[in-house]
């Protein structure tokens, strides 16, 4: 069903989802800049006020290190500045539901692409299809589908890409990159020249130039001892699909446990409260999270650091209160608490759970929350690395793409029905060229 431009506000209430289950919970370029102004800048920031483009920034310092890497540190008060950019909790466009037939019924949306003319493409994982819609939500065309023939997919997934000269799809079923013309007139399949088996076992995440970035584990977690936590390195690696050249961007630690529940059933569980190795495509190369800090790193295409942006704040310790709160949301809180008692957990929660770079080159990082029903908050850094404040979106909304005056994403209702939504943004002059 298409529901554009509604004007009556709906209530903001949180979704009390029962979808979280004990074993299905979601766990959460060397390009140098020519000249940087060195020094220390101080700006005032008032609690609860929005940044309005008047120069208010929460900067502690900015500098360049000996290698020419721009380093910008902002005060933790950026987390208290609420950017009232979302115009209404009612979307200006909503596509989905069962009233208008198959093109508007979505299952397992694996990406949404916004095109320059305002139209959009939805990657519907359930049917392995790409569906084109106009800016007003009318269905235009459908391509793809399950299969092994030309133009068909095994398991299509949209890869983040800063420039939309083509749509980048990684077919996880057939282990290949598919470059789709934005108008759907052509699909060109690319199989990376020397994609090793280790990368094949990983998850493709982004495309930068001719390079695909994968998240991959070094060792199979199946080798972990029974009922013991083992720590395995996880890498962000890239491979050039034209030359076969590859390299490493970052390394993180992931915890795994072969867990036996009270009934003797065995489960392989990974990454509860671990850093996930977040990555997205940025203006000059990949953007990655900075490990156990409120930090993002803009890299060049080879993985060299260009800019580091961070907050002067520590991440929250993993406390018993947090564990109890998390367990209370699962289908079996007692079993989850038993799992916690047997598992080695990280000392602190992650800072972020998702990354985006918008069309203006602003960096968005979703703040990690152990409570699924919380309305998602995103911390925004401008294109120079300054933290501006946070933007809150309605509960159940997952950001897919951000333009200058809109945000596009997937919204899931209390019945787990998926919709495409577009909300209007008003940045109140902040950084608008």
């Amino acid at each position: 069903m298409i529901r554009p431009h509604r004007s009556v506000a709906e209530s903001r209430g949180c979704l009390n989802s029962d979808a979280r289950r004990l074993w299905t919970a979601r766990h959460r370029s060397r390009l140098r800049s020519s000249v940087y102004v060195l020094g220390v800048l101080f700006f005032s920031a008032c609690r609860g006020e929005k940044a309005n483009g008047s120069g208010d920034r929460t900067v502690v310092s900015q500098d360049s290190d000996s290698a020419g890497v721009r380093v910008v540190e902002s005060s933790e008060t950026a987390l208290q500045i609420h950017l009232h950019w979302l115009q209404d909790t009612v979307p200006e466009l909503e596509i989905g539901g069962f009233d208008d037939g198959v093109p508007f019924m979505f299952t397992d949306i694996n990406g949404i692409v916004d095109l320059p003319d305002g139209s959009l493409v939805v990657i519907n994982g359930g049917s392995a299809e790409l569906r084109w819609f106009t800016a007003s939500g009318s269905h235009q065309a459908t391509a793809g589908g399950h299969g092994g023939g030309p133009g068909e997919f095994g398991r299509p997934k949209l890869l983040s890409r800063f420039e939309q000269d083509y749509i980048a799809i990684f077919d996880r079923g057939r282990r290949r990159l598919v470059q789709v013309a934005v108008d759907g007139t052509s699909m060109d399949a690319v199989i990376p020249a020397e994609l090793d088996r280790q990368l094949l076992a990983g998850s493709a995440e982004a495309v930068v130039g001719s390079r695909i970035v994968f998240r991959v584990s070094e060792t199979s977690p199946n080798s972990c001892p029974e009922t013991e936590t083992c720590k395995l390195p996880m890498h962000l690696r890239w491979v050039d699909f034209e030359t076969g050249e590859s390299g490493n961007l970052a390394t993180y630690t992931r915890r795994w446990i072969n867990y036996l529940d009270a009934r003797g059933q065995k489960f392989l569980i990974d990454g509860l409260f671990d850093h996930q190795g977040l990555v997205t495509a940025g203006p000059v190369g990949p953007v990655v999270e900075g490990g156990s800090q409120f930090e993002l790193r803009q890299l060049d295409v080879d993985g060299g650091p260009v800019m580091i942006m961070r907050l002067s704040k520590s991440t929250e310790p993993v406390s018993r209160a947090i564990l109890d709160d998390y367990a209370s949301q699962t289908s079996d809180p007692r079993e989850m608490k038993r799992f916690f008692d047997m598992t080695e957990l990280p000392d602190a929660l992650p800072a972020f759970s998702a990354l985006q770079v918008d069309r203006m080159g602003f960096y968005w990082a979703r703040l990690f929350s152990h409570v699924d029903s919380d309305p998602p908050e995103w911390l925004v850094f401008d294109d120079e690395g300054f933290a501006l404040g946070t933007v809150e979106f309605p509960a159940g909304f997952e950001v897919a793409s951000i333009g200058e005056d809109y945000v596009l994403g997937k919204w899931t209702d209390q019945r787990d029905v998926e919709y495409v939504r577009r909300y209007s943004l008003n940045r109140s002059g902040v950084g608008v060229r």
Side-chain angles (χ1 to χ4, degrees), residues 326-388:
Y326 184 93
S328 68
Q329 301 172 75
T330 66
S331 59
D332 191 342
R334 179 178 296 182
E335 185 68 34
M336 180 57 80
K337 291 179 180 180
R338 178 175 177 268
F339 167 72
F340 286 150
D341 291 338
M342 296 178 59
T343 306
E344 180 182 343
L345 297 170
D347 295 330
L349 296 175
F352 307 123
S353 59
L355 300 180
Q356 288 281 338
V357 179
D358 69 24
R359 292 291 182 87
M360 298 172 60
F362 283 28
Y363 302 83
W364 296 61
R366 178 174 174 171
L367 299 176
F368 179 86
S369 174
H370 66 283
V371 181
D372 263 357
S373 59
D374 280 352
E377 283 189 279
W378 288 73
L379 177 64
V380 185
F381 299 84
D382 69 12
D383 54 353
E384 295 180 326
F386 300 108
L388 300 177

Side-chain angles (χ1 to χ4, degrees), residues 275-296:
H275 303 280
Q276 298 300 300
L278 301 176
V279 59
T280 192
V284 295
V287 180
V288 301
E289 64 175 333
S292 58
Q293 307 176 67
F294 283 85
E295 178 181 293
L296 300 181

Side-chain angles (χ1 to χ4, degrees), residues 43-51 56-58 77 80-82:
F43 299 88
S44 62
C46 299
R47 181 182 180 89
E49 292 185 2
K50 68 179 180 178
D56 292 341
R57 283 171 173 161
T58 57
T77 56
Q80 301 166 359
I81 296 177
H82 306 298

Side-chain angles (χ1 to χ4, degrees), residues 157-175:
K157 175 187 177 181
L158 178 70
L159 302 186
S160 69
R161 182 172 172 79
F162 188 69
E163 295 179 351
Q164 298 295 339
D165 51 338
Y166 66 85
I167 302 169
I169 304 291
F170 193 78
D171 189 343
R172 293 176 290 180
R174 301 172 67 183
R175 312 311 300 181

Side-chain angles (χ1 to χ4, degrees), residues 29 160-162 166 206-213 239-241 280-287 299-301:
S29 296
S160 69
R161 182 172 172 79
F162 188 69
Y166 66 85
V207 171
V208 179
S210 61
R211 297 178 174 187
I212 309 176
V213 179
V239 60
D240 192 306
F241 56 75
T280 192
V284 295
V287 180
L299 309 178
D300 64 19
V301 293

Side-chain angles (χ1 to χ4, degrees), residues 255-299:
R255 293 168 176 80
W256 298 81
I257 182 171
N258 279 312
Y259 177 69
L260 287 175
D261 69 8
R263 296 181 297 274
Q265 293 180 295
K266 185 176 180 180
F267 300 91
L268 181 64
I269 305 175
D270 76 299
L272 192 61
F273 303 144
D274 272 344
H275 303 280
Q276 298 300 300
L278 301 176
V279 59
T280 192
V284 295
V287 180
V288 301
E289 64 175 333
S292 58
Q293 307 176 67
F294 283 85
E295 178 181 293
L296 300 181
R297 299 183 180 188
Q298 171 69 72
L299 309 178

